[in-house]
Every structure is written in C-alpha cells, then in structure tokens.
Amino acid sequence: MESIQSEQLLILICSIVVISYLFSIASRWIKVPSVLLLLLAGIGTRSLATYYGFEIEFPALLIESLGVVGLIMIVLEAGLDLELKQSKIKLIRDSFLSALFIFLLSTFLLSYILYNWLQQPLVNCIIYAIPLSIMSSSIVLPSLHALTPAKKEFLVYEASFSDILGIMVFNYFTAGEILSPVSMGLFAGNLVLSIVLSVIMSLILIFIMTRTTLTIKFFLIFALLVLIYAGGKLLHLPSLIIILAFGLMINNWHLLKFDWIKKHFPQEQVNGLGHLLHSITAESSFLVRTFFFILFGYSIVFSTILEDEVMKVGGLIVLALFVVRFLYMRFFLKTNVFPEVFFIPRGLITIVLFYKIPQQYRLSNFNEGILFFIILVSSAIMAIGMLFYKKKPAEMVEEPQFSERSDLF
C-alpha cells in the first residue's frame, strides 16, 4: 500500500465528520441510532479494504483512548442535562432503582450464562458480565429526540446512573480481593473520598472558568477533567463521580445555600458558563463518538459474528438483557414503558471496560465476536423499538398505564 498524503488524510477525516453529520440527520427520519450507522460504516469500510487488499491496522490503545475521552464527555454532558428539583424526586428515584436493579439482575443472569458455558472461575465471569450489563448512554442519549419529555428525562437519568454504577462495580471487582472486610472498607472509603473531592474539584474548576480572562476556556477545563479522571483511575477512585458532580453543580447552581460562595460566583456567571459548556461538550462528544465507533466498527471482523457459537451465546445474552428489562419495568414500574423497554444498547462503556479487564481475569476461551454481536443486535433492537414509536414530536402525549392499554405486550 502506498503511503497516504496529508491532503488525502485530511479529505478522509473531514469526509468521516460530514458522513457522521448526515447519519445524525438521517437517524431522526429513519429512527435508527446514528451510532449504529457509524458501526455499520466502519464494518463496511473494513470489508472494502479487505476486498481491495488494503491492510490498515489501528492500535487498540487509540480506540481505548478515544473511548475514555468519549466517556468523560458523555458523563459531563449528562451532568449538564440533569436538573435537580423537588418535583423530580420520584423520577430520580425510579430511574436510579431501574438502573440499579436491572444492572444487578443482568449481571447475575449473564454471569450464570458465562459460567455454565465456559466453565471458568465465577469471578472472571462476573467481571465479563458487568460491562455487558451497562446501558450505553453514548447510544441512548443521541437517540431520544423523538420521545416525550418525560420519557426522555427518565432515560437520561437511567443511562447516567447505569454508567456510574457499572463503572464503580467494575472497579471494585477488578481491584483485588472481593467480599472481604478490607476491600469493602476501601471501596466505601474511596466512594466517600470521591464525593468530597468532587465538591472541591468542582469549585476549583468553576473558579478557573469564571475568573480566567482568556477566551480559551473549555479545552483547558477538559484537559483538567481528563487529568482528574486518569489520576483517579491510577488511585482506584471512581473519578467519573467528580465529572458528573461538576456538571450537576453547573446546572443546579441555584440550589446552593452558601451565600458566601454565590457572592463570588453569581448565578448569571455560572449560567453563562453552563451554556458554553453544554454547547461545546455536545459538539466535542459528537466528534469523539464519530471516530470511536467508526474505528471500532473497522476493527470488527464481520465473519466472526456469523459463527454458530457467537450467534447462540450472543443471542442468549441479548434475550436475557431484554427479558430482565421487560420484567422489571412491567412489574415494578407498572407504567407504559414502550419504547423504553427496547433500550438495551451496549456500546462505548462496554467496549472501554472490556479493554480494561486485567490479564489475570481474562477468559481464555471467550470469543470476542460475542461482544461485537451483542453491541450490534442490542442497538438494532433499540432501533426497532423506535421504529414502532410513530408519534411525531408535536403530537406526543404521555401514554396511559399498562392497565389501560391492551395493545402493548
């Protein structure tokens, strides 16, 4: 293969961004997540490259790094979207319990499936089941435009809670000893420390953003957030809590009761900062998500997805994820949860955590095609749910409860 010229590289990069933008527009009409279209584009590019004899390999570290950056952007964007109000207590409670119980039940069931299929140590199977049990906010959040405000808000909270809970549990199980008093004490201590640090670091970041006279603000803050995340990971702290808390504080500054803080950081200043962060975060997360899913799709060898073992085990896992979600929402929330029940996509966080599984916990006979299969099929299921949700945004009203609807499930 001839070496690529700088102009050709620039054309390629810009073409990918334009195509991703077109996918985002198309997804609003065909109700297929733009991320799924990006994955399919990456897979198609890999097939064309193989057919014409081009061998381009991207290092796993590049894909993982893009995933981590995307994860930070998504959590920050979620924090900037979440509004804490007295009237939202029930919504926050329901979405948190939904994220918690669906995650725990899915982890238990998937661990059982992997343990019986692979006959590997149970702890290793649990560590593999955890990433597969986390709802992908990177796929969910950009796909909510067609839903009612109440449904959209519920899924924003649920996806955000699922991310945080899943990452915290994953860090706990990969840290060392499990279910010992020492490990549980360290986990609780790290959690408390992270909450305290989140408040301190958030105030420091707000101080920097409101006091600096330079117009270059966002990427300075973003660099500091990445440093905080990376440093927290090295210290085995759930550092995403700091990023989430920063976004929450910006968006809910009016709830702060300390007058001496509000005197130095007036509401108007923080509101302006929030609008700036929200705009640039949305743009940046779009860019990172574009290249991450294109590259990840390119790394997928499509023939592995069609193997019998992959389709059987992957299909069983996807079915388990759907059944757990349906049963919880149907019998615990007891409201019409269409199309929320179809929102079982696995994506960026699942992939990033799979890259971070320590070597001693690796399952030697786990076929990576299963991961690819689950990501594609779970995203396709969400797309099917959205296709059957026919209401136009201007006509949307909240549907009645299950008891009043005989046509659903």
Side-chain angles (χ1 to χ4, degrees):
M1 176 183 170
E2 296 179 3
S3 59
I4 190 169
Q5 296 179 4
S6 59
E7 291 81 5
Q8 293 172 323
L9 180 61
L10 289 172
I11 290 172
L12 177 62
I13 291 173
C14 294
S15 298
I16 290 173
V17 174
V18 172
I19 290 169
S20 178
Y21 183 76
L22 294 175
F23 282 167
S24 296
I25 296 174
S27 69
R28 292 176 176 266
W29 292 93
I30 63 177
K31 295 187 178 180
V32 174
S34 58
V35 167
L36 181 57
L37 297 176
L38 289 171
L39 279 171
L40 294 176
I43 293 171
T45 304
R46 173 64 175 261
S47 300
L48 287 173
T50 302
Y51 180 79
Y52 286 106
F54 291 99
E55 292 296 333
I56 306 174
E57 293 298 330
F58 297 97
L61 183 61
L62 172 62
I63 302 175
E64 182 184 351
S65 299
L66 277 173
V68 169
V69 172
L71 182 60
I72 293 170
M73 302 298 295
I74 288 164
V75 172
L76 177 58
E77 192 175 8
L80 292 168
D81 279 334
L82 299 182
E83 191 174 357
L84 305 177
K85 287 182 178 179
Q86 186 76 19
S87 59
K88 295 184 185 291
I89 290 178
K90 183 180 183 300
L91 171 67
I92 295 172
R93 181 200 67 196
D94 288 346
S95 58
F96 175 78
L97 291 177
S98 177
L100 175 63
F101 284 106
I102 290 175
F103 168 73
L104 292 177
L105 291 171
S106 298
T107 300
F108 173 79
L109 191 54
L110 298 194
S111 300
Y112 177 80
I113 292 171
L114 292 174
Y115 180 73
N116 281 277
W117 167 54
L118 296 174
Q119 297 297 310
Q120 294 278 309
L122 180 59
V123 172
N124 297 33
C125 294
I126 292 173
I127 289 172
Y128 269 69
I130 290 169
L132 295 173
S133 302
I134 302 173
M135 178 194 292
S136 174
S137 59
S138 64
I139 297 179
V140 169
L141 297 185
S143 307
L144 301 178
H145 48 267
L147 301 184
T148 62
K151 289 177 179 290
K152 179 178 179 179
E153 205 166 22
F154 176 86
L155 286 167
V156 167
Y157 275 98
E158 187 192 12
S160 303
F161 285 135
S162 182
D163 289 352
I164 299 298
L165 290 168
I167 291 167
M168 287 172 58
V169 174
F170 180 84
N171 288 341
Y172 173 72
F173 272 85
T174 56
E177 290 185 59
I178 301 169
L179 299 180
S180 69
V182 174
S183 62
M184 294 179 74
L186 285 173
F187 180 75
N190 286 343
L191 183 58
V192 172
L193 179 60
S194 292
I195 293 172
V196 173
L197 283 175
S198 67
V199 176
I200 297 171
M201 295 305 300
S202 296
L203 290 174
I204 292 173
L205 292 172
I206 291 171
F207 175 81
I208 293 172
M209 290 288 283
T210 55
R211 289 294 180 269
T212 181
T213 56
L214 296 175
T215 55
I216 304 170
K217 295 181 180 181
F218 173 76
F219 285 102
L220 169 62
I221 290 297
F222 180 65
L224 292 173
L225 288 173
V226 174
L227 287 172
I228 290 168
Y229 174 84
K233 290 294 293 180
L234 292 176
L235 297 173
H236 303 291
L237 295 174
S239 46
L240 275 180
I241 292 177
I242 299 174
I243 295 162
L244 181 66
F246 176 60
L248 284 171
M249 286 185 69
I250 292 290
N251 200 40
N252 298 276
W253 193 254
H254 59 281
L255 298 177
L256 203 65
K257 301 298 183 184
F258 300 104
D259 292 334
W260 61 275
I261 294 180
K262 297 182 79 170
K263 180 181 177 182
H264 291 88
F265 305 106
Q267 184 71 47
E268 296 75 20
Q269 264 189 334
V270 179
N271 284 345
L273 173 59
H275 291 312
L276 173 68
L277 281 175
H278 203 286
S279 173
I280 302 179
T281 301
E283 296 276 353
S284 302
S285 62
F286 163 79
L287 192 64
V288 173
R289 190 168 60 241
T290 293
F291 286 101
F292 174 82
F293 282 104
I294 283 281
L295 291 178
F296 181 72
Y298 184 85
S299 71
I300 296 175
V301 180
F302 192 71
S303 59
T304 61
I305 299 175
L306 303 178
E307 295 176 9
D308 287 342
E309 180 187 49
V310 169
M311 296 183 73
K312 287 177 182 176
V313 179
L316 184 60
I317 289 175
V318 171
L319 178 63
L321 293 173
F322 182 82
V323 168
V324 166
R325 185 166 181 81
F326 171 73
L327 291 177
Y328 179 84
M329 290 193 158
R330 177 65 179 86
F331 294 105
F332 287 89
L333 289 183
K334 296 182 180 178
T335 58
N336 173 21
V337 289
F338 179 78
E340 294 96 314
V341 72
F342 288 91
F343 277 69
I344 60 167
R346 270 50 188 166
L348 190 148
I349 289 183
T350 298
I351 299 163
V352 170
L353 293 185
F354 256 86
Y355 279 121
K356 291 188 173 296
I357 295 175
Q359 191 60 42
Q360 66 269 27
Y361 294 119
R362 295 274 177 181
L363 296 174
S364 56
N365 50 351
F366 182 86
N367 189 331
E368 287 197 355
I370 295 170
L371 173 63
F372 305 149
F373 179 91
I374 292 169
I375 290 169
L376 289 173
V377 174
S378 62
S379 299
I381 288 173
M382 189 186 82
I384 291 170
M386 292 299 293
L387 284 172
F388 284 97
Y389 191 75
K390 300 234 180 243
K391 288 183 172 32
K392 296 178 181 178
E395 301 171 342
M396 287 181 189
V397 294
E398 274 303 298
E399 284 85 350
Q401 294 186 339
F402 273 116
S403 57
E404 301 173 32
R405 291 285 298 274
S406 59
D407 60 323
L408 291 178
F409 306 111

